[in-house]
Amino acid sequence: DTQLVMLMTCSPVGGLPLGFMLLGSKNEATTTAGMNEFKSMLSKDAFFKRGDKGPSLFMTDDDPALINSLKKTWPQAKTLLCILFRYDS
C-alpha cells in the first residue's frame, strides 16, 4: 500500500521535479502528513513569494485522498483533474 507522490512543475524545457514523497499508506491522513512535511521544508519565497498560500494550481489524477490532502494543505490552490482523452479514428 506504499505510494510514491511526485510533485512536478512545468517549464519551457518540460516537466521539472519539485520533490518526491514515499508514503507508507495511500490514506488521506498519511498523504496530508506528507504534504505538510513537504510544505514545512519550503522557504517563504517559494511559489513566487506566495509563502504559506503555496501554489495557485494543482493537476492530479482521480485520487480522493490526494485531492483532499492538497486542499487541506494549500486551501487557496485550485485542483484540476487530469483525464486521458483517447481518440481512435
Side-chain angles (χ1 to χ4, degrees):
D1 202 25
T2 303
Q3 181 178 14
L4 175 65
V5 178
M6 298 181 293
L7 299 166
M8 307 282 292
T9 189
C10 57
S11 78
V13 296
L16 296 174
L18 296 175
F20 297 90
M21 293 186 299
L22 187 59
L23 304 174
S25 176
K26 292 183 179 182
N27 66 42
E28 186 175 325
T30 303
T31 306
T32 301
M35 288 293 171
N36 283 324
E37 190 66 30
F38 179 77
K39 182 179 179 180
S40 73
M41 293 185 279
L42 298 173
S43 79
K44 296 293 180 189
D45 292 335
F47 306 113
F48 297 102
K49 299 186 180 188
R50 288 176 49 90
D52 287 335
K53 292 180 186 177
S56 55
L57 180 72
F58 286 102
M59 182 177 289
T60 183
D61 60 357
D62 192 15
D63 180 349
L66 181 58
I67 292 169
N68 291 335
S69 295
L70 291 170
K71 287 181 181 180
K72 287 178 180 178
T73 307
W74 290 289
Q76 295 184 11
K78 293 182 182 180
T79 305
L80 301 178
L81 180 62
C82 180
I83 58 172
L84 176 65
F85 180 76
R86 185 174 166 178
Y87 178 75
D88 294 322
S89 55

